[in-house]
C-alpha cells in the first residue's frame, strides 16, 4: 500500500507539472501587444475580472474577484496577491479590511511591502542566507541585511502565477520555481487556492511538489485593519493568540533557538489591545515575532485555533485556524506613511497587522524546530481559514471553534 501511495503521488505530480507546462506555453504565446491582450484567460469571469496591466515579461496580469454574499476578495495573479477583502461591520455596512493598492505598479516595482502576497519559497528569515541539507551547503539570496527573507530578491511574490481554475467563489493559481532559483535546490511547483466556502469564510490552501530535497514554508502576507483597511491605527484592535510560547529573536530578527513561555507584552493569551503592548514588544518597535501555537488540532479537519481579533469601532472580528505550528504576528512596524494606498490612505506605522501562519523562522538551521524539508514524492500542504463576523461587544468563548 505504501508503494501504491507513492506511485499515486508521483503520477499526480507528473500530471500537475504537465498541466502547468501547457498553461505556461499558452501564456508565452499570449505575449502580444497590450491592445491585443485586453481579453481575459479562459478561466476568468468577464463580468467582474479585468486585466490590470502587464508584468515585466509582457504578460497580462488579471485582477480576479471572488464573491459569496457580502464577502468579496480580489486577487492578482502576480504573486497570488490578495489586494482587497471586504466584509460587513456591526451595522451591516460592507467595508475594506485589507491594506493594498488599486494600481498594479506598486506590486511590480517592489514598492509593496509584501501586501497580500504568497511569500516563499521560504516565508520569513533564514540566517545568513545559508543552510545545509543532506550534507551539502547552499547559499541563498541575502535581501534582509545578511539574511534571506521571504524567498529572496525575486521570491514567489514577484512571479506571475498561472490560473488553473476559477469559479464564482474560488481561484487556484500555480507557479514554478526552477532548480537554483534564489539559491534553493530542486525544482518546485507550488499552487494556492483561495476560496469562500461560506459568506463569512476565506480559506487558503497551499500545495507544493519538488524533484529534489529542498525547504518549503509558504504563507499569505495580508496586512489587516478591521476598522477601515488602513486609514487609522490598529492600536484599538483587541487580539488574542492561542500561543503560550514564542521564539525570541536576536538583533537581526533571527530566532535564538530558545522556545520561551510568553510573559509581559509578549503574552497575548487573553484579549488585549494591540496598542497596549507595542511599546513593550521588541524594544518599542512593535510585534514581529513567531508565536508557537499550543492549542490542540481538531480531530476532524486537523486545524488548530490560532488567533482572534476584534475591532471596537466597526465591531468586526476575525478568527484564524491553521494546520501550521506557528504564526508571525507583525504590526506594520516598517510602514513609513509614504505608501499611497487606496482611499487616500498613506499607511503609516501600525496601520496594519499580519498573522502569517507558518513554520518557524530559520528552521533549516534549527534542528529542534519542526522540519521544513520537502523531498521528491512528498506533497507540501498547508491550510489556513479566516472567519469574519461583527458584534457590538467583544466575542467570548473559544478563540476559533472548529466547524
Amino acid at each position: 500500500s505504501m508503494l501504491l501511495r507513492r506511485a499515486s503521488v508521483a503520477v499526480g505530480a507528473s500530471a500537475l507539472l504537465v498541466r502547468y507546462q501547457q498553461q505556461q506555453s499558452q501564456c508565452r504565446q499570449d505575449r502580444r501587444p497590450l491592445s491585443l491582450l485586453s481579453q481575459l484567460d479562459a478561466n476568468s469571469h468577464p463580468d467582474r475580472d479585468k486585466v490590470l496591466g502587464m508584468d515585466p515579461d509582457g504578460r497580462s496580469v488579471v485582477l480576479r474577484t471572488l464573491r459569496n454574499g457580502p464577502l468579496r476578495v480580489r486577487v492578482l495573479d502576480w504573486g497570488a496577491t490578495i489586494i482587497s477583502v471586504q466584509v460587513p461591520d456591526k451595522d451591516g455596512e460592507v467595508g475594506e479590511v485589507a491594506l493594498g493598492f488599486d494600481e498594479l505598479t506598486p506590486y511590480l516595482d517592489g514598492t509593496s511591502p509584501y501586501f497580500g502576497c504568497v511569500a516563499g519559497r521560504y516565508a520569513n528569515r533564514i540566517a545568513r542566507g545559508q543552510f545545509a541539507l543532506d550534507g551539502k551547503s547552499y547559499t541563498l539570496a541575502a535581501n534582509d541585511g545578511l539574511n534571506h527573507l521571504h524567498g529572496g530578491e525575486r521570491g514567489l511574490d514577484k512571479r506571475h502565477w498561472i490560473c488553473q481554475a476559477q469559479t464564482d467563489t474560488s481561484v487556484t493559481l500555480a507557479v514554478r520555481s526552477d532548480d537554483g532559483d534564489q539559491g534553493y535546490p530542486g525544482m518546485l511547483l507550488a499552487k494556492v487556492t483561495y476560496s469562500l466556502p461560506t459568506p463569512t469564510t476565506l480559506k487558503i490552501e497551499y500545495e507544493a511538489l519538488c524533484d529534489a530535497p529542498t525547504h518549503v514554508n509558504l504563507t499569505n502576507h495580508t496586512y489587516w485593519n478591521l476598522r477601515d483597511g488602513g486609514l487609522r491605527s490598529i492600536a484599538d484592535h483587541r487580539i488574542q493568540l492561542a500561543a503560550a510560547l514564542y521564539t525570541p529573536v536576536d538583533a537581526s530578527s533571527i530566532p535564538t533557538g530558545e522556545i520561551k513561555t510568553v510573559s509581559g507584552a509578549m503574552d497575548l493569551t487573553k484579549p488585549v489591545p494591540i496598542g497596549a503592548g507595542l511599546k513593550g514588544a521588541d524594544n518599542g518597535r512593535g510585534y514581529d515575532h513567531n508565536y508557537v501555537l499550543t492549542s490542540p488540532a481538531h480531530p476532524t479537519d486537523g486545524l488548530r485555533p490560532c488567533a482572534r481579533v476584534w475591532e471596537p469601532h466597526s465591531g468586526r472580528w476575525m478568527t484564524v485556524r491553521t494546520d501550521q505550528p506557528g504564526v508571525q504576528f507583525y504590526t506594520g512596524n516598517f510602514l513609513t506613511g509614504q505608501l499611497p494606498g487606496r482611499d487616500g490612505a498613506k499607511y503609516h506605522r501600525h496601520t496594519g497587522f499580519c498573522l502569517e501562519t507558518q513554520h518557524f523562522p530559520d528552521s533549516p538551521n534549527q534542528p529542534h524546530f519542526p522540519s521544513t524539508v520537502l523531498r521528491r514524492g512528498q506533497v507540501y500542504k498547508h491550510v489556513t481559514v479566516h472567519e469574519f463576523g461583527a458584534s457590538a461587544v467583544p466575542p467570548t468563548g473559544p478563540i476559533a471553534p472548529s466547524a
Side-chain angles (χ1 to χ4, degrees):
S1 60
M2 179 64 74
L3 289 175
L4 286 175
R5 283 197 297 270
R6 287 179 177 173
S8 177
V9 168
V11 170
S14 177
L16 188 59
L17 178 57
V18 168
R19 184 180 179 191
Y20 176 84
Q21 290 171 330
Q22 290 172 340
Q23 291 171 318
Q24 189 82 325
S25 175
Q26 181 62 46
C27 191
R28 283 194 295 268
Q29 294 173 19
D30 283 345
R31 293 181 189 176
R32 292 165 288 173
L34 180 58
S35 59
L36 299 178
L37 272 170
S38 58
Q39 74 272 18
L40 301 166
D41 60 63
N43 293 312
S44 300
H45 292 252
D47 59 331
R48 63 176 184 272
D49 297 345
K50 65 177 181 179
V51 174
L52 204 60
M54 306 289 285
D55 74 9
D57 293 322
R59 291 173 290 196
S60 57
V61 178
V62 178
L63 176 61
R64 306 171 191 275
T65 300
L66 311 179
R67 291 175 180 166
N68 191 339
L71 175 59
R72 185 175 81 163
V73 176
R74 293 190 292 164
V75 180
L76 284 178
D77 47 19
W78 178 261
T81 299
I82 293 175
I83 75 163
S84 171
V85 179
Q86 295 185 335
V87 298
D89 66 8
K90 64 181 186 295
D91 298 318
E93 294 293 323
V94 176
E96 186 62 58
V97 296
L99 279 64
F101 308 100
D102 287 326
E103 299 79 27
L104 180 59
T105 300
Y107 297 104
L108 296 180
D109 66 11
T111 298
S112 173
Y114 300 101
F115 280 172
C117 69
V118 172
R121 292 188 186 190
Y122 198 97
N124 219 305
R125 294 171 176 86
I126 296 177
R128 301 174 303 282
Q130 298 176 346
F131 64 79
L133 180 58
D134 294 343
K136 185 175 180 180
S137 296
Y138 296 92
T139 299
L140 309 176
N143 61 320
D144 182 53
L146 298 177
N147 301 319
H148 177 84
L149 176 66
H150 292 329
E153 294 286 352
R154 191 167 182 256
L156 301 185
D157 64 299
K158 299 177 179 67
R159 304 296 176 90
H160 192 284
W161 292 56
I162 302 299
C163 182
Q164 292 193 321
Q166 185 177 357
T167 69
D168 291 347
T169 59
S170 70
V171 63
T172 298
L173 303 168
V175 69
R176 174 173 172 163
S177 174
D178 289 327
D179 179 33
D181 184 12
Q182 305 300 297
Y184 286 97
M187 181 276 291
L188 184 80
L189 184 63
K191 71 174 183 177
V192 62
T193 297
Y194 296 113
S195 64
L196 312 180
T198 79
T200 61
T201 307
L202 166 61
K203 186 176 185 179
I204 308 176
E205 300 169 273
Y206 311 81
E207 289 188 16
L209 306 163
C210 64
D211 65 357
T214 192
H215 283 281
V216 182
N217 185 33
L218 305 179
T219 196
N220 179 269
H221 208 290
T222 295
Y223 288 64
W224 302 97
N225 184 316
L226 301 183
R227 182 173 183 177
D228 52 27
L231 293 172
R232 299 177 180 87
S233 171
I234 56 170
D236 290 341
H237 287 59
R238 295 175 64 87
I239 188 165
Q240 183 179 9
L241 298 181
L245 305 168
Y246 77 106
T247 52
V249 294
D250 63 19
S252 64
S253 297
I254 295 295
T256 62
E258 183 182 8
I259 298 178
K260 189 175 181 179
T261 301
V262 297
S263 63
M266 299 305 297
D267 185 356
L268 302 175
T269 55
K270 296 180 179 179
V272 60
I274 291 176
L278 287 176
K279 291 183 179 180
D282 202 15
N283 297 317
R285 289 177 292 184
Y287 293 94
D288 191 8
H289 297 82
N290 172 67
Y291 279 82
V292 180
L293 300 178
T294 48
S295 292
H298 193 272
T300 301
D301 59 16
L303 304 184
R304 55 172 56 89
C306 172
R308 178 167 59 203
V309 184
W310 176 71
E311 198 286 312
H313 300 279
S314 67
R316 294 187 183 98
W317 55 259
M318 178 178 75
T319 62
V320 181
R321 295 186 298 130
T322 186
D323 58 3
Q324 296 299 284
V327 61
Q328 187 84 6
F329 176 44
Y330 172 58
T331 49
N333 310 331
F334 299 106
L335 297 177
T336 63
Q338 302 301 311
L339 297 176
R342 67 169 64 91
D343 299 326
K346 293 298 184 182
Y347 298 145
H348 292 274
R349 189 181 185 198
H350 307 321
T351 54
F353 67 91
C354 301
L355 290 167
E356 306 159 53
T357 53
Q358 62 178 11
H359 272 63
F360 304 167
D362 200 35
S363 290
N365 295 308
Q366 308 273 1
H368 58 294
F369 286 178
S371 176
T372 54
V373 175
L374 182 69
R375 299 186 181 278
R376 183 183 178 91
Q378 297 178 333
V379 180
Y380 167 91
K381 291 190 176 184
H382 167 183
V383 178
T384 292
V385 175
H386 297 258
E387 189 78 23
F388 301 95
S391 60
V393 296
T396 59
I399 285 182
S402 296

